[in-house]
Amino acid sequence: MCGIVGYVGNRSAVEVLLKGLQRLEYRGYDSTGVAFQKGNRIEIEKSEGKLENIFKRFKEMDLNRAPVSTVGIGHTRWATHGKPTTQNAHPHRTGSIVLVHNGIIENYREIKEDLMKKGHEPQSETDSELFGFLVLEELKLKKSFIDAVRFAFQKLEGACSVVVMSENDPDTVIGIRNGSPLVAGIDSEGAIYLASDPQPLLDYTKKVVYLENGDMAIAKRSGLEFRDVITGKVVQRETIELQWSVEQIDKQGYPHFMLKEIYEQPTALIDTFNSNLDRIDPTSFPLAKHPGVDKLMNASELHLIACGTSYYASLVGKYWLEKYARVSTQVEFASEFRYRDPVLDDRALIVGVSQSGETADTLAVLRDLKKKGKATAAVSNVRGSTISRETDGAFFTSAGPEIGVAATKSFLTQMGIFLLWTGAFLERRKKGSADGLFEETVHLPHVLKNYLDDSSGIREKIKEAARATVTKKGFFFIGRGSSYPLALEGALKLKEIAYVHAEGYAAGELKHGPIAMIDENVVVIVLAPKDGWRDKTISNLEEVKARGAQIIGVGDPSDRHLQDLSHHFIPLPTLKNEDLNVFPLSIVVQLFSYELATLKGTDIDKPRNLAKSVTVE
Ligand code: GLU
């Protein structure tokens, strides 16, 4: 969601801030702004809409004005309180105080009432602006800038971060984290950066500190220091060396990050295997030792808690974990799980699955259950993320930075982790049978690489199917067994980036209702790989074909019957183990959504209304 950048250094602050905000654009936003120090003044430029608007302002302006500044803060807003207008965009100025804020101030009504009684008049509809007045109130009590910010922050309820400057305390930027993520870094020249995630820092340094909740980062020319927001005492924080490179966060010739990330999947999968396994072995999966592994292996049952695409990856995991490892596995949306009273075994392991590791709904569940004494674990793509630090053991996908808002490689690598878990259970418990699972998994990244290669012709076939169906009124993705979660994921991708109505359905369920919608204006994408469910899925295909639907069949190249029934046919690579078909299937549904969205001309990497890491409930 929203993005924050702060800078104290020697470069042009405006340049650093704008570049940093560009790096954060993928998170989703609706308005932007920067504030930069000019002598004793702080100037603000902000605008509704895209970051280009701010770039234009600086181009139109006398450029000598901005670059002389070397201290500033910037923000991309994802509106929660008040419309996405220029007035509501951050930074907000209140007297000498200028601030940006991420998240929600839950007690903003009471704060607002109180401030208005004291004669303050907020200029925006946001909750954020109120924080500036709280700081002014503290300054009236003759507190230092740092203490005023500290005490004002203690009045806020809810998960949020703020980054603040003051016209009376030049060359200082203060950031506080409580819930919404914030990282800090210093480059080799001593310049200090603050940001919502490490990506804006990668251009300058790989050494970052993830602030903990309740941490205050004070950036001055003299250096960076961390304090506890409650006690004001200095705290030491560990510096982490980032594994990501700046090349990974550039498009490298691809028209969209999403397409680049689809093509990166074979490598992401190899990296995920390598980083989670002790050694790659075609007969077993020995997981690399860490606290999460013991928690996992001792669990009597698993509860995978997730949202969106992570939820669908977890559903696939359930098939494998139950079938091969005989571990009872429940999968549930975090936002639902939180508000019911589930029956959990004493040795149940609650696993939060979240690409960013900051998903508010998922974090809330884990915190609640941890308080109740339950063991928790995480699957995340971001080392140092909140979820990975707050759980008893974290497993990391090594997908590299995922910039496209629609998840692709994080989905595939999350499935990869569940596959490794399945193998680890099989190995430790010596239950169930592996069915050639290990041998073929070792080759899987190569199979996917060849599948994505131009010579397979797969992309052309998918493009053709997209061209033929782009004007249709609705799409059903259907599948059975482990293809069912892929049907759900396919429909989600299409909704997210092409803005068309799409539904994922268990193929056997169509006749219990939605078949009423089928006519020649509806497209049915049938996920029917060669597996134990294929024959039943084909019968369901016949039912929709008879009612006039346009059929896109996805299955084994040898499946003549499926090809004959389909208007368009997408062949899958032939895999011996039927359970691995979900990997190439995910490439098919991702590319189909991508091609259809390209034809529709939507903003593929930054779909409207969406945010990459959803840090509000
Ligand atoms: N609640 C604040 C607003 O609506 C901050 C939103 C954000 O995180 O961007 O302005």
Side-chain angles (χ1 to χ4, degrees), residues 111-398:
I111 294 180
K112 191 167 183 174
E113 255 171 46
D114 192 46
L115 286 169
M116 291 186 63
K117 273 192 213 136
K118 289 183 175 139
H120 294 295
E121 283 178 21
Q123 303 298 305
S124 76
E125 299 164 302
T126 65
D127 48 348
S128 316
E129 186 195 358
L130 304 176
F131 182 67
F133 292 105
L134 292 179
V135 177
L136 288 186
E137 284 294 315
E138 297 294 335
L139 285 171
K140 272 193 206 158
L141 304 174
K142 303 270 174 268
K143 288 186 182 132
S144 66
F145 174 43
I146 295 175
D147 277 346
V149 171
R150 196 162 73 73
F151 282 102
F153 194 83
Q154 290 177 27
K155 301 215 157 69
L156 308 185
E157 283 168 22
C160 63
S161 292
V162 289
V163 175
V164 198
M165 297 167 75
S166 162
E167 289 186 333
N168 298 329
D169 289 79
D171 297 343
T172 306
V173 172
I174 301 178
I176 304 180
R177 179 208 172 149
N178 186 32
S180 305
L182 204 60
V183 297
I186 307 188
D187 69 15
S188 54
E189 286 161 17
I192 301 170
Y193 306 80
L194 294 177
S196 304
D197 70 35
Q199 304 199 10
L201 276 60
L202 273 179
D203 291 291
Y204 313 100
T205 179
K206 287 201 175 179
K207 293 198 164 56
V208 303
V209 175
Y210 282 86
L211 272 72
E212 309 219 340
N213 284 336
D215 278 358
M216 187 177 203
I218 301 156
K220 287 177 179 268
R221 291 212 183 277
S222 53
L224 172 66
E225 134 184 313
F226 299 97
R227 293 196 194 180
D228 183 294
V229 77
I230 305 289
T231 64
K233 291 215 174 90
V234 172
V235 288
Q236 301 305 326
R237 290 288 170 246
E238 191 196 349
T239 303
I240 293 180
E241 177 95 20
L242 292 173
Q243 311 285 322
W244 297 353
S245 68
V246 80
E247 291 72 40
Q248 283 179 298
I249 55 173
D250 281 330
K251 279 194 207 145
Q252 292 176 337
Y254 284 90
H256 297 100
F257 280 113
M258 182 179 177
L259 190 63
K260 175 179 170 244
E261 287 159 9
I262 291 173
Y263 277 83
E264 280 172 352
Q265 293 184 109
T267 315
L269 196 59
I270 294 182
D271 290 346
T272 301
F273 289 166
N274 283 334
S275 58
N276 281 279
L277 291 174
D278 216 18
R279 58 178 193 282
I280 303 267
D281 185 327
T283 58
S284 62
F285 290 158
L287 288 177
K289 282 192 187 53
H290 67 85
V293 176
D294 295 334
K295 294 273 174 217
L296 182 70
M297 291 300 134
N298 290 328
S300 56
E301 60 187 35
L302 300 178
H303 294 262
L304 309 182
I305 310 300
C307 310
T309 290
S310 302
Y311 172 80
Y312 300 139
S314 305
L315 280 182
V316 175
K318 174 183 168 76
Y319 280 91
W320 298 327
L321 286 158
E322 294 195 330
K323 172 177 169 180
Y324 291 105
R326 308 304 300 152
V327 185
S328 165
T329 306
Q330 308 306 323
V331 183
E332 193 158 341
F333 289 125
S335 53
E336 287 299 317
F337 189 92
R338 183 163 190 208
Y339 298 102
R340 70 185 181 87
D341 194 2
V343 180
L344 301 172
D345 187 74
D346 284 347
R347 288 194 300 118
L349 179 67
I350 319 301
V351 184
V353 187
S354 159
Q355 184 278 130
S356 65
E358 307 294 343
T359 312
D361 287 316
T362 311
L363 276 169
V365 170
L366 293 168
R367 284 176 185 149
D368 285 354
L369 290 173
K370 207 173 168 183
K371 265 192 222 137
K372 291 182 184 153
K374 292 288 168 214
T376 57
V379 174
S380 172
N381 193 38
V382 183
R383 281 164 207 274
S385 55
T386 309
I387 203 173
S388 66
R389 284 182 294 134
E390 291 192 5
T391 48
D392 301 318
F395 293 81
F396 295 102
T397 50
S398 300

Side-chain angles (χ1 to χ4, degrees), residues 338-527:
R338 183 163 190 208
Y339 298 102
R340 70 185 181 87
D341 194 2
V343 180
L344 301 172
D345 187 74
D346 284 347
R347 288 194 300 118
L349 179 67
I350 319 301
V351 184
V353 187
S354 159
Q355 184 278 130
S356 65
E358 307 294 343
T359 312
D361 287 316
T362 311
L363 276 169
V365 170
L366 293 168
R367 284 176 185 149
D368 285 354
L369 290 173
K370 207 173 168 183
K371 265 192 222 137
K372 291 182 184 153
K374 292 288 168 214
T376 57
V379 174
S380 172
N381 193 38
V382 183
R383 281 164 207 274
S385 55
T386 309
I387 203 173
S388 66
R389 284 182 294 134
E390 291 192 5
T391 48
D392 301 318
F395 293 81
F396 295 102
T397 50
S398 300
E402 189 175 66
I403 316 267
V405 166
T408 51
K409 54 182 180 168
S410 59
F411 174 71
L412 195 113
T413 50
Q414 283 169 353
M415 293 197 302
I417 292 269
F418 296 131
L419 191 57
L420 299 186
W421 287 9
T422 303
F425 274 116
L426 267 175
E427 155 115 345
R428 293 259 190 128
R429 297 187 175 182
K430 305 278 183 236
K431 270 188 188 176
S433 116
D435 242 355
L437 188 70
F438 301 122
E439 293 92 310
E440 210 163 21
T441 299
V442 173
H443 297 294
L444 189 60
H446 302 281
V447 174
L448 297 181
K449 189 145 188 54
N450 292 338
Y451 191 52
L452 278 164
D453 194 82
D454 281 353
S455 59
S456 79
I458 205 66
R459 179 119 183 256
E460 264 320 303
K461 289 202 171 69
I462 291 174
K463 252 189 207 163
E464 214 177 287
R467 271 197 292 265
T469 53
V470 65
T471 55
K472 298 291 176 191
K473 74 167 192 252
F475 295 78
F476 278 95
F477 287 76
I478 62 168
R480 282 174 178 252
S482 52
S483 300
Y484 167 49
L486 266 294
L488 295 171
E489 170 62 4
L492 178 66
K493 285 279 97 65
L494 205 54
K495 283 184 272 211
E496 281 181 312
I497 63 166
Y499 317 149
V500 294
H501 183 245
E503 287 196 51
Y505 244 86
E509 276 294 300
L510 275 185
K511 56 186 169 299
H512 297 288
I515 202 161
M517 295 176 69
I518 301 293
D519 62 22
E520 57 287 351
N521 258 316
V522 173
V523 182
V524 181
I525 297 139
V526 187
L527 309 182

Side-chain angles (χ1 to χ4, degrees), residues 528 534-542 559 561-562 565:
R534 181 250 171 219
D535 296 353
K536 295 278 178 220
T537 307
I538 298 291
S539 309
N540 302 131
L541 187 175
E542 304 260 19
D559 195 337
H561 187 189
L562 175 60
L565 289 170

